[in-house]
Amino acid sequence: MRRHHDMGGLDAGPVEQNEHDYAPWEKRVDAILRLLSAPGRRMITVDELRRGIEELGPGAYDEMSYYERWIASVTNNLVEKGTLTVEELGRKMAEVEARWDADRAAHKNSQEERAQ
Amino acid sequence: MTHRFPIGARVSVSSSFPPGHVRTPFFVRGKTGIVTEVAGEFPNPEELAYGRDGLPARTLFRVTFLQQDLWPDYAGGAGDTTVVDIFEHWLQEADASEGAAGKGERAHV
Amino acid sequence: MSENGNDQQDGGHSHGHAHDHSHRHPFQPDLEDGGYSYYQVMTEAVAELLLEKAVITSEELRKTVESIDSKSPAFGARMVARAWVDPDFKARMLDDVIAAADELGIDAGGIPIKAIENTDRVHNVIVCTLCSCYPRLLIGLPPDWYKARAYRSRVVREPRAVLEEFGTSIPDDMEVRVHDSTADLRYMVLPARPKGTEALDEEALAALVTRDCMIGTAVPKSN
């Protein structure tokens, strides 16, 4: 009856007081949500974001990082609303991946050149 | 403005477990506390979560629970409390016998 | 490395050399040293599609990331220090944090924030057991532990034990009051001014107020 995100009162170990500096892509996820939820645009509400995260299922908290859950939820919401289509996402993601692979290869090459 | 529950009202949280998006934590369901503040009127998150406008707005109450009413084995101070923001439709007037340390109904665990 | 990949103009497709830094798709520094994840690719794809469809503009995206970067606990600390030296300001801050922030030229965003005051009888601590609600528009993004299972699970049930883990002992005769930010309000703790700080000016006082003091897992120390 208790949903997995609803954690108050559960047993857990010590609070691990670790933190990390947020990576650019994580801030980008945050920025996208802020823009889409801003008054004036209101394309997604914070409660839609939260619902989307809850619907990722119990494994999401163990398998995904915080902003991974966010972008997964934002993306699902945008598809549900018709703002983005699955087809567009598939195409664009393949394109991004190919570009980053190429960029990485080029970056590595130039570093090797510089090292010589 | 008049509200359904005045400050100081003893209220019980619904012992209800619907599917879907709700903002009432599990650990206060079925528990009794006291309205200590009226936080304002806000669109219903249970509707907003599904793309609707959440109107009419609902009153959000700040409800203070004695820790002893939430956790039978609470080991801290007798006066320790937790305050939770709860929408009006989750609250009902409590029987005089409920709450106030140890007498609150236990939530389903 | 300062370039953060947010200066692209649109989803342009011409793709030149990776080290041209005026490039429309600058290589992201956080990807240089390791692989990238499925969700990083998704983030980039969603951003580019939203730009291509003119749902958002690159200018907005850049400014929003800048705004995220600009927030810090220092803004909250300034407000706390002012509240310590100016009781009228404190009253206004307890009434409306956003309006009080505005008096100091601080933009605290549009989500209501409530300040909860520590006294010699009550120590407050904030949490969001359902997700990660936090006054991020005023004091920046929360630390990882605030969003993690251990803190969210335990601080409502054994707050004193959790506070001890942070090195904070609350006397038995004080009330520990936990605030679960479940809905539309965000909370920040207005800590009590430590004793022995009478000689300090506002700036020195603000330096005593850490992020954790405003979460309530710490209290300001006078030295």
Side-chain angles (χ1 to χ4, degrees):
Chain A
M1 282 190 291
R2 183 199 278 270
R3 299 190 70 203
H4 63 92
H5 68 279
D6 188 352
M7 296 178 182
L10 293 177
D11 290 332
V15 178
E16 289 172 29
Q17 292 170 46
N18 46 12
E19 18 196 310
H20 80 292
D21 289 331
Y22 290 97
W25 80 270
E26 294 179 297
K27 292 178 198 169
R28 223 157 182 230
V29 174
D30 205 304
I32 289 168
L33 186 269
R34 287 186 199 201
L35 288 170
L36 295 177
S37 63
R41 197 174 264 115
R42 287 224 164 266
M43 295 181 63
I44 176 170
T45 62
V46 171
D47 285 293
E48 287 172 305
L49 171 78
R50 290 165 171 163
R51 185 217 4 136
I53 292 169
E54 292 160 14
E55 287 177 354
L56 294 172
Y61 270 91
D62 304 316
E63 291 156 16
M64 296 167 74
S65 73
Y66 182 76
Y67 279 110
E68 288 178 350
R69 296 194 291 268
W70 272 44
I71 193 62
S73 172
V74 167
T75 305
N76 287 344
N77 270 286
L78 290 173
V79 171
E80 281 176 7
K81 290 167 189 292
T83 310
L84 304 180
T85 68
V86 172
E87 187 188 349
E88 287 169 330
L89 278 164
R91 192 172 55 233
K92 182 60 85 178
M93 286 176 72
E95 186 189 310
V96 167
E97 223 169 322
R99 188 201 313 145
W100 282 355
D101 284 342
D103 279 3
R104 270 216 304 196
H107 182 73
K108 208 171 155 211
N109 286 342
S110 77
Q111 275 184 325
E112 282 166 4
E113 279 165 30
R114 238 177 285 155
Q116 281 164 7
Chain B
M1 211 191 298
T2 58
H3 299 284
R4 197 166 142 209
F5 304 108
I7 293 187
R10 180 169 288 279
V11 289
S12 291
V13 184
S14 297
S15 192
S16 147
F17 303 88
H21 176 78
V22 303
R23 299 303 292 174
T24 305
F26 184 93
F27 72 89
V28 297
R29 300 202 203 162
K31 304 291 186 179
T32 297
I34 288 173
V35 171
T36 41
E37 203 174 320
V38 180
E41 315 276 320
F42 298 94
N44 183 357
E46 297 162 17
E47 290 290 306
L48 286 177
Y50 298 91
R52 298 185 285 272
D53 64 10
L55 299 176
R58 306 286 179 100
T59 306
L60 182 66
F61 293 93
R62 304 202 72 214
V63 181
T64 300
F65 300 87
L66 274 177
Q67 290 284 28
Q68 294 179 348
D69 284 339
L70 297 176
W71 322 107
D73 58 350
Y74 186 71
D80 289 358
T81 55
T82 288
V83 188
V84 184
D85 298 350
I86 305 176
F87 279 95
E88 56 180 320
H89 54 282
W90 278 87
L91 298 173
Q92 62 226 5
E93 210 174 308
D95 295 338
S97 63
E98 288 178 299
K103 285 178 254 165
E105 183 192 337
R106 285 193 64 174
H108 305 267
V109 180
Chain C
M1 292 187 287
S2 62
E3 191 176 321
N4 60 9
N6 291 308
D7 54 349
Q8 63 200 49
Q9 296 305 304
D10 57 29
H13 302 290
S14 68
H15 188 251
H17 299 289
H19 276 81
D20 172 2
H21 281 272
S22 63
H23 195 279
R24 283 147 79 87
H25 295 293
F27 191 52
Q28 301 207 18
D30 50 330
L31 303 179
E32 281 184 8
D33 299 323
Y36 48 80
S37 73
Y38 178 77
Y39 294 100
Q40 280 171 280
V41 175
M42 187 187 290
T43 301
E44 183 64 23
V46 168
E48 289 182 18
L49 287 169
L50 292 174
L51 292 168
E52 281 172 26
K53 290 168 180 275
V55 174
I56 60 175
T57 67
S58 57
E59 174 76 357
E60 283 178 318
L61 192 53
R62 185 181 60 73
K63 281 191 170 162
T64 307
V65 171
E66 274 175 16
S67 166
I68 291 168
D69 277 330
S70 74
K71 304 296 179 181
S72 96
F75 292 112
R78 268 179 63 202
M79 297 186 70
V80 170
R82 175 64 61 88
W84 284 347
V85 300
D86 180 347
D88 292 336
F89 178 83
K90 182 170 97 174
R92 294 196 295 277
M93 180 175 167
L94 291 171
D95 185 51
D96 184 343
V97 169
I98 293 176
D102 192 51
E103 287 182 40
L104 303 187
I106 297 169
D107 173 9
I111 299 173
I113 301 172
K114 187 168 174 56
I116 40 189
E117 185 185 10
N118 282 350
T119 66
D120 52 7
R121 290 178 36 252
V122 179
H123 177 84
N124 296 284
V125 58
I126 63 170
V127 63
C128 174
T129 62
L130 298 177
C131 51
S132 57
C133 298
Y134 185 80
R136 56 184 78 202
L137 298 185
L138 175 63
I139 63 174
L141 302 178
D144 290 336
W145 56 260
Y146 183 85
K147 305 179 295 187
R149 185 186 297 273
Y151 182 75
R152 287 167 51 191
S153 299
R154 291 180 52 225
V155 78
V156 286
R157 183 170 193 158
E158 41 176 352
R160 289 170 184 267
V162 171
L163 293 178
E164 289 285 349
E165 288 172 26
F166 283 84
T168 303
S169 295
I170 304 301
D172 289 343
D173 59 351
M174 277 180 75
E175 173 188 341
V176 173
R177 191 177 294 167
V178 183
H179 299 260
D180 190 355
S181 340
T182 48
D184 290 79
L185 273 67
R186 304 291 174 268
Y187 295 96
M188 68 176 284
V189 174
L190 171 52
R193 180 173 178 166
K195 293 189 171 55
T197 57
E198 293 72 13
L200 298 184
D201 66 16
E202 212 174 304
E203 200 182 329
L205 288 171
L208 304 177
V209 183
T210 63
R211 177 196 66 203
D212 289 6
C213 294
M214 293 178 279
I215 296 174
T217 49
V219 293
K221 306 283 191 335
S222 59
N223 46 20

